[in-house]
Amino acid sequence: MDPGMTSDERVCATVVAELHHAMRHLMGVNGLSVTEILSVMHAEIVTQITSVFGGRVAAECCEAAAKRVAEMPPKADFAADISGAVMQ
């Protein structure tokens, strides 16, 4: 990790790296697809946000995220890194 990272950046990098590791593991060991894994991870994350902060906050987070990502194209290099093949 970059020594110039802030504490928050280190936490984010660590969590993202672990999520990628978990996805590769689920694909390799259990044969799950990227879409299956992402769908379940998304649902669980929203459920956990709801459990911790309540439904209103979870809905606001989801709405804000939807606005941020609505026009973003898929990232083929990211998909290839996770799956070893570009997601369709």
Side-chain angles (χ1 to χ4, degrees), residues 21-64:
H21 175 77
M23 290 178 73
R24 283 189 296 272
H25 176 78
L26 288 167
M27 290 175 65
V29 172
N30 298 89
L32 299 175
S33 72
V34 172
T35 18
E36 290 170 322
I37 295 165
L38 290 175
S39 296
V40 174
M41 283 184 166
H42 178 267
E44 180 60 17
I45 288 167
V46 172
T47 299
Q48 291 300 321
I49 291 170
T50 303
S51 296
V52 173
F53 299 107
R56 181 160 310 280
V57 171
E60 289 171 3
C61 288
C62 290
E63 288 170 2

